[in-house]
Amino acid sequence: MKTERIQEFLILARSLNYTKAAESLFISQSVLSKHIVELEKELNVKLFERSTHGVALTDEGKLLLRNADPIIEKIEKTSSLIAQNSNKTEGSIKINCHRQCLCNYVLSLIKNFKSKYSTVDINIHIIESASDITAIEGSDVLITPCDFMDRISDTFWGKKIYDQNALLAIPPYHHLGDRQEISLEELNNENLIVPFSDELFGPYARNYFLAFKKSRGNIRKIATPSPEDALLKVELGEGIMLMPHHLKNHIYPQTRTLKVMDEECTFPVFIYKAKENNENSAQFFYSYCSLA
């Protein structure tokens, strides 16, 4: 039994809404439905009843809901103990990591793994673009901000390991300069600078479409090749920018940042591993990322 399936069950059981649960998990409703069916088959019980009135837990579903957290804890502890006592703690790992994902959380994750399992050699290759799952080629795992979760069922394992809060960077003397926080619907008639705007599965493009929707289309996009270029444009007064929290350390002196109140406006980090790659250390690192 996979902890990911139990976690998906938990989110659906608490929301009782496939649309909201799928959005929270960054997967499609069809993928979530498929995973729930797989879990029901594995447990040989029906967990949910669907009707015209909505979704409801069965008695078996309520029982699993009460015991799900201890189950996840036991599975993860057991997996960790097995891994620590196997040869999975030796070998090498090749990681393709998108530069956008080099936040403190990911760096700490890799540092802690290297410290705990010093016999594993980690080789990290920084990539500038990850617009497709093929960015994993030539490596054991891919760390990326792009959501390919509905495209991986047959070939790749994948999961979200982190969510960064979004900030809005504004130029000097901007009319929002006296604000501490902002909602996307308030960005009417603004110029939004969007790095990697052609990466449709990436967070910058996704957050632009979210802002476009919430501002009812009253927002203009300025495409730019990188976050560094975007931050310079902000400082020069050419527009505003939605950015991950860790870039706050890289803004120019007169640029200000506001907290974005929209909870769905985030910069997630995903990890993917090819299913055909059975190299022990790569599988161990992939599993470790859900434990750390």
Side-chain angles (χ1 to χ4, degrees), residues 88-262:
K88 290 182 180 180
T89 56
E90 297 180 353
S92 62
I93 307 169
K94 295 179 181 179
I95 300 174
N96 277 355
C97 183
H98 200 298
R99 187 179 297 278
Q100 291 183 61
C101 294
L102 294 178
C103 58
N104 289 338
Y105 177 85
V106 172
L107 292 174
S108 295
L109 183 71
I110 296 172
K111 288 178 184 177
N112 291 340
F113 183 89
K114 288 171 65 71
S115 175
K116 193 171 185 179
Y117 306 104
S118 57
T119 56
V120 177
D121 184 26
I122 295 183
N123 300 302
I124 302 175
H125 176 62
I126 304 301
I127 57 177
E128 300 295 338
S129 177
S131 57
D132 196 87
I133 190 66
T134 55
I136 198 173
E137 292 178 359
S139 68
D140 297 311
V141 298
L142 170 67
I143 298 176
T144 173
C146 296
D147 182 359
F148 307 125
M149 294 298 290
D150 61 347
R151 305 170 63 198
I152 63 170
S153 57
D154 297 328
T155 311
F156 299 93
W157 299 112
K159 57 191 174 186
K160 183 170 67 171
I161 59 174
Y162 188 57
D163 244 341
Q164 285 195 80
N165 295 327
L167 297 174
L168 180 71
I170 61 174
Y173 312 113
H174 192 273
H175 68 91
L176 295 173
D178 60 342
R179 300 284 296 275
Q180 298 298 318
E181 55 186 22
I182 193 79
S183 64
L184 296 180
E185 65 182 15
E186 298 178 85
L187 301 185
N188 289 301
N189 298 314
E190 295 287 348
N191 295 321
L192 186 63
I193 303 167
V194 187
F196 306 116
S197 61
D198 58 335
E199 292 187 358
L200 298 182
F201 296 97
Y204 285 105
R206 191 196 69 143
N207 287 329
Y208 162 71
F209 287 119
L210 180 62
F212 184 86
K213 176 183 177 182
K214 291 212 169 188
S215 67
R216 299 181 180 180
N218 296 321
I219 194 169
R220 294 174 294 276
K221 179 175 70 173
I222 300 177
T224 190
S226 71
E228 291 78 13
D229 288 338
L231 288 174
L232 179 58
K233 287 181 179 294
V234 172
E235 179 74 3
L236 294 176
E238 297 179 27
I240 61 178
M241 173 191 179
L242 290 168
M243 69 178 203
H245 193 276
H246 80 274
L247 282 188
K248 191 171 183 179
N249 297 327
H250 299 275
I251 63 175
Y252 287 86
Q254 296 188 63
T255 295
R256 279 203 59 218
T257 58
L258 313 179
K259 177 183 177 181
V260 177
M261 294 186 290
D262 304 72

Side-chain angles (χ1 to χ4, degrees), residues 12-13 16-22 28-37 40 46-59:
L12 178 57
L16 294 179
N17 186 302
Y18 272 84
T19 301
K20 290 182 179 179
S28 66
Q29 290 186 55
S30 61
V31 171
L32 177 58
S33 296
K34 177 183 176 183
H35 290 175
I36 294 299
V37 170
E40 289 178 328
K46 194 168 182 61
L47 299 172
F48 296 96
E49 293 285 359
R50 300 182 71 170
S51 69
T52 56
H53 300 293
V55 181
L57 282 165
T58 63
D59 290 341

